[in-house]
Amino acid sequence: MSESTPLPYAGIRVVEFTHMVMGPTCGMLLADLGAEVIKVEPIEGDNTRRLLGSGAGFFPTFNRNKKSIALDLKKPEGVEAALRLIATADIVSENFKPGTMKKLGLDYDSLQKLNPRLIYVSHKGFLPGPYDHRTALDEVVQMMGGLAYMTGRAGDPLRAGTSVNDIMGGMFGAIGAMAALRQRELTGKGCEVQSALFENNIFLVAQHMMQFAATGKAADPMPSRISAWGVYDVFTVKDGEQIFLAAVSDKQWSIFCKAFGLEEMLADPRLKTNNDRVLAREWMMPILRSHLAEHSAAELSAVFEKNELPFAPITKPQDLFDDPHLNATGGLAPIRMNDGSESKVPLMPFTLGGERPGIRLQPPLLGEHTDALLREVGYTDAQIAALKSHDVTCST
């Protein structure tokens, strides 16, 4: 954003007690939009700083534009420092197991007595109810919430290929915080916001629930579903390459047939409408697959793009770093990785005034802002040194 146009949540302070993906996503979204987000970490650091495998990129992905303070919340002095920070905050965000924050005296009921204007965002596995005692993970709720069933083949439930509920659960937490800020403008009071993995997953599969409500027929898993469109498939073409091709309207079907010399199919009365083509897929698709198999993916892409037809290469995540559209539009920004090296990371998928909210602060080093933040809430240098000597805090 330009210097003359402040980000929408500039001046809002968030203190977050979060880890992994869901809670940090909420804070990242608010931080990208201008909020000052203070990440309270244990003195050994957020565990995602050390994860391997599929979690190796979690910390730099979800913790940009934040400040870090390291506090041992198992010690009264650490809780006292946290309370002093919270006293300056508009929003507190957390995603610990139910009861954890209450044991620390940092739950909503305790804090709202100190500051009725405080907005408190809790990210949980389940909203309050019969399941709320269970330990939830993204994969757990995908399995119990119908998403894994819909993603995999029949009899082979499969989790989606990204942390959809963690990320979207954090997004809904942020949306709830934004709504609560507006409500506070109207009422002068804060409130508690709750976001949950399971309920988020149910929101995602609502379309399949409502398909059953509308038709009386259960939705088939995506690999075996009856498509709503006549041509809407992955094709294996020349040299074994794969490409997704679609023609989802009668106009697109006409353009497709003319582009590839399929005038006989265009004239076939059995294929006149999209619904006709859906019903004819069993014999129609083998003909199309055979006809297109001689072309390369690049050739097909060129024809589909020229004729404004939907298509997509089958891309691996690592290939996206070099995507020409993402790089040309500023969709990727330099980010500091856990080991100090630099990579690129996707920014938020929207613009404000034609610009993507960018990176103002790199993912913080552990305790990078500890001293400055403690001084700001009244600690002297001698008191900060004492906290460090007693392992209540640390700084880089």
Side-chain angles (χ1 to χ4, degrees), residues 165-209:
N165 292 298
D166 279 320
I167 295 169
M168 286 190 63
M171 289 172 58
F172 279 114
I175 293 170
M178 295 171 185
L181 284 170
R182 173 57 180 153
Q183 187 177 67
R184 189 176 73 176
E185 291 179 5
L186 300 173
T187 67
K189 295 181 180 180
C191 69
E192 183 178 15
V193 174
Q194 296 182 335
S195 176
L197 294 174
F198 179 63
E199 281 76 7
N200 181 84
N201 188 96
I202 302 309
F203 185 78
L204 286 172
V205 300
Q207 65 191 85
H208 305 305
M209 296 168 63

Side-chain angles (χ1 to χ4, degrees), residues 209-229:
M209 296 168 63
M210 301 312 290
Q211 177 184 339
F212 177 78
T215 67
K217 297 180 180 179
D220 288 322
M222 297 302 279
S224 56
R225 74 193 186 284
I226 297 175
S227 175
W229 316 112

Side-chain angles (χ1 to χ4, degrees), residues 156-374:
D156 185 22
L158 181 68
R159 70 156 284 163
T162 188
S163 303
V164 287
N165 292 298
D166 279 320
I167 295 169
M168 286 190 63
M171 289 172 58
F172 279 114
I175 293 170
M178 295 171 185
L181 284 170
R182 173 57 180 153
Q183 187 177 67
R184 189 176 73 176
E185 291 179 5
L186 300 173
T187 67
K189 295 181 180 180
C191 69
E192 183 178 15
V193 174
Q194 296 182 335
S195 176
L197 294 174
F198 179 63
E199 281 76 7
N200 181 84
N201 188 96
I202 302 309
F203 185 78
L204 286 172
V205 300
Q207 65 191 85
H208 305 305
M209 296 168 63
M210 301 312 290
Q211 177 184 339
F212 177 78
T215 67
K217 297 180 180 179
D220 288 322
M222 297 302 279
S224 56
R225 74 193 186 284
I226 297 175
S227 175
W229 316 112
V231 182
Y232 199 76
D233 294 82
V234 174
F235 289 77
T236 299
V237 294
K238 189 176 181 180
D239 298 327
E241 290 185 296
Q242 291 185 306
I243 185 170
F244 175 82
L245 305 173
V248 298
S249 68
D250 295 339
K251 181 179 180 180
Q252 288 183 1
W253 169 249
S254 175
I255 294 170
F256 168 73
C257 288
K258 292 175 181 177
F260 290 100
L262 295 167
E263 283 81 2
E264 289 186 9
M265 297 189 79
L266 179 59
D268 192 326
R270 297 173 298 173
L271 303 175
K272 185 176 182 180
T273 69
N274 176 72
N275 284 351
D276 291 332
R277 294 187 291 277
V278 169
L279 297 175
R281 280 175 57 84
E282 185 174 351
W283 62 266
M284 177 187 73
M285 288 307 300
I287 296 174
L288 297 182
R289 293 187 188 282
S290 176
H291 187 79
L292 298 178
E294 302 173 0
H295 298 273
S296 69
E299 291 170 348
L300 291 169
S301 295
V303 174
F304 268 66
E305 186 161 15
K306 178 182 178 181
N307 288 279
E308 300 182 353
L309 295 172
F311 75 98
I314 309 302
T315 303
K316 297 177 181 177
Q318 63 268 25
D319 298 333
L320 294 171
F321 288 112
D322 299 316
D323 184 271
H325 179 84
L326 292 175
N327 283 285
T329 59
L332 302 174
I335 197 80
R336 182 175 64 204
M337 302 296 288
N338 292 340
D339 62 2
S341 64
E342 184 179 282
S343 181
K344 292 185 289 188
V345 71
L347 296 177
M348 287 293 173
F350 57 80
T351 62
L352 291 174
E355 295 182 35
R356 301 278 279 267
I359 297 179
R360 308 185 312 283
L361 296 173
Q362 289 295 319
L365 302 175
L366 173 60
E368 181 177 348
H369 306 90
T370 294
D371 291 11
L373 288 168
L374 289 177

